[in-house]
Amino acid sequence: MNHFHYRNGVLHAEDVPVAEIAAAVGTPFYCYSSATLERHYRVFESAVPKNTLIAYAVKANGNLSVIKTLAALGAGADIVSAGELKRALAGGVPAAKIVFSGVGKKRSEIAAALDAGIFQFNVEGEYELDLLNEVALSKGVRAKFALRVNPDVDAKTHAKISTGKAENKFGVGWSRVRGAYAHAATLPGLEAVGVAAHIGSQITELEPFRQTFAKLVGLVSTLRADGHKISRIDFGGGLGVPYRQDGPLPPDPASYGAVVREALGGLDAQLVLEPGRLIVANAGILVAEVISVKKGDEKEFIILDAGMNDLIRPAMYDAWHDIVPVREPGSVQRRVYDVVGPVCESADLFARDRELPPLSAGDLVAILTAGAYGAVQGSSYNARPLAPEVLVKGRQFAVTRPRQTVDEMIAQERWPDWLL
Ligand code: LLP
């Protein structure tokens, strides 16, 4: 469910014609809907147990206005760097609702999070227990942590976004978990408060969640019997979203919530969840202009002014994104195109052999479900400035991040003495 719809023959973001934004900011640009963000957050919140800390995974979309919109609804944040810590705080997330995940935390990042007074660290390995202990002691505090465990569960998603198998770099191997908590208990700068796992992203079956949650709940009992005061359980994020209007629907938040409740049973522990994609993916589109329609010997190409530097998901994960024209097509004969960008890579391809209404130079298109892992994974490859981000609310829209300029890119560099 989202708020990008045709009205009077043109695509609207809530009550704003998308073409009006394009005329004001140029293309390409990301456009987010406040109403969709709010709806997704509320639907998720009502599907999971009351008093769950919903730590929105900032990595999915770190735009400050997106974070602030969610923070106003009560969201916490799941962060993976000092940069995301700053963003979450700047977006108005209270430190007491911030969970610090991430497989390679540096001393300086741990220090910044301790200074801020975050909710908990999700520790990814034995070495990190020692480091966290050391930094906490140097500040005269005790750091609350959950161990992120690797449950060795197959999330049945794309290999590049699967994180819970024993072969993945994430979490502490299942056989080492009790030993790690026992070690932590000897470290005076640490306070074990929870257990955590996150098995991957764009997960479209409930079974991997069921298996993981059961393992974590069992682990809480084991650790309590070992004498640890475990009061929190973090099930991670990962619930998938529909990328295709004509495809099968992934489980909805209500069914996911039922699996969560069933797994928890009567467990007395504070639940933490870390959804990212589910909240933001369908709240965002990437709008681009057709530069040209080019006939090859075998194919017809639509060349957009957005490229893989703006949205890398198709190139990186073979991801499908629906693409629609901004002007409603009506019942015309469709054609088969490869939709590509202007970047000098064959991987700069948004859709292969895609049926679309006939398009021509100057037409606008929207690449859908681009709110998660879109702008955040953007780059300025080919010296292409980062695309702007626009937030819509009702009939209003605002450029929340202006288009980067080439002059800004150049101004960031320095000449070495010998080239002056
Ligand atoms: N928690 C942790 C520790 C994570 O690593 C992630 C995502 C999340 C929560 C949020 O997962 P979500 O609910 O969004 O599935 N760039 C890839 C996705 C990478 C996901 C990384 N971790 C993509 O575009 O598909």
Side-chain angles (χ1 to χ4, degrees), residues 378-398:
S379 78
S380 46
Y381 184 40
N382 280 200
R384 292 169 47 78
L386 295 176
E389 294 174 274
V390 172
L391 182 65
V392 169
K393 187 171 177 63
R395 187 60 187 84
Q396 311 168 75
F397 73 90

Side-chain angles (χ1 to χ4, degrees), residues 37-59:
L37 290 171
E38 286 167 9
R39 184 186 151 82
H40 287 179
Y41 185 83
R42 291 219 164 92
V43 165
F44 188 79
E45 185 184 37
S46 62
V48 300
K50 279 216 169 3
N51 303 321
T52 299
L53 171 58
I54 301 175
Y56 162 64
V58 166
K59 65 167 78 69

Side-chain angles (χ1 to χ4, degrees), residues 38-369:
E38 286 167 9
R39 184 186 151 82
H40 287 179
Y41 185 83
R42 291 219 164 92
V43 165
F44 188 79
E45 185 184 37
S46 62
V48 300
K50 279 216 169 3
N51 303 321
T52 299
L53 171 58
I54 301 175
Y56 162 64
V58 166
K59 65 167 78 69
N61 186 323
N63 184 276
L64 291 181
S65 301
V66 168
I67 297 174
K68 193 161 187 173
T69 301
L70 297 173
L73 300 175
D78 172 64
I79 58 155
V80 292
S81 67
E84 287 191 352
L85 173 64
K86 268 206 171 165
R87 281 193 171 273
L89 293 171
V93 178
K97 291 186 181 177
I98 295 180
V99 175
F100 193 173
S101 302
V103 80
K105 304 180 190 74
K106 291 171 65 151
R107 183 182 297 269
S108 57
E109 295 183 306
I110 290 174
L114 282 172
D115 289 344
I118 65 164
F119 181 72
Q120 81 184 24
F121 291 81
N122 283 0
V123 169
E124 293 258 0
E126 288 96 337
Y127 63 94
E128 197 182 307
L129 288 173
D130 294 323
L131 181 59
L132 182 58
N133 176 57
E134 211 182 294
V135 185
L137 287 179
S138 76
K139 293 182 177 294
V141 295
R142 281 184 88 198
K144 290 186 166 50
F145 81 91
L147 209 61
R148 175 171 176 187
V149 302
N150 184 320
D152 194 20
V153 168
D154 185 352
K156 304 213 170 74
T157 183
H158 192 282
K160 285 187 185 163
I161 50 175
S162 173
T163 56
K165 290 279 289 166
E167 72 209 38
N168 299 129
K169 68 178 176 181
F170 300 96
V172 173
W174 194 252
S175 66
R176 309 171 64 90
V177 169
R178 286 172 79 186
Y181 278 94
H183 174 58
T186 69
L187 302 174
L190 298 186
E191 183 186 351
V193 293
V195 296
H198 170 79
I199 56 168
S201 197
Q202 186 54 16
I203 299 170
T204 53
E205 293 175 34
L206 291 173
E207 195 48 36
F209 287 121
R210 213 173 265 127
Q211 287 172 23
T212 304
F213 301 167
K215 278 192 146 181
L216 277 187
V217 170
L219 181 61
V220 170
S221 312
T222 307
L223 293 173
R224 283 179 175 168
D226 286 349
H228 306 287
K229 291 203 178 64
I230 303 297
S231 58
R232 302 175 183 171
I233 188 162
D234 180 344
F235 284 166
L239 184 57
V241 304
Y243 276 92
R244 294 181 69 142
Q245 270 166 16
D246 63 354
L249 288 178
D252 60 12
S255 329
Y256 170 84
V259 170
V260 167
R261 280 168 216 277
E262 191 188 302
L264 287 175
L267 186 76
D268 179 23
Q270 149 116 65
L271 178 66
V272 181
L273 296 171
E274 304 168 359
R277 191 188 309 265
L278 186 84
I279 309 290
V280 290
N282 274 304
I285 60 176
L286 172 62
V287 180
E289 187 178 305
V290 176
I291 293 179
S292 71
V293 181
K294 174 174 165 173
K295 277 201 186 352
D297 283 343
E298 288 188 8
K299 297 216 164 193
E300 200 166 5
F301 299 95
I302 289 177
I303 304 176
L304 300 181
D305 67 355
M308 66 190 289
N309 68 298
D310 300 303
L311 178 68
I312 205 170
R313 300 197 68 261
M316 193 132 143
Y317 316 105
D318 312 304
W320 175 289
H321 285 262
D322 280 344
I323 300 174
V324 299
V326 164
R327 184 178 302 277
E328 194 172 20
S331 56
V332 285
Q333 180 77 37
R334 296 183 153 234
R335 296 176 70 87
V336 177
Y337 296 107
D338 274 12
V339 184
V340 303
V343 171
C344 297
E345 303 263 352
S346 293
D348 184 24
L349 183 140
F350 292 113
R352 194 187 299 280
D353 297 329
R354 184 72 63 91
E355 279 191 21
L356 287 171
L359 287 166
S360 40
D363 287 346
L364 295 174
V365 299
I367 302 176
L368 306 184
T369 322

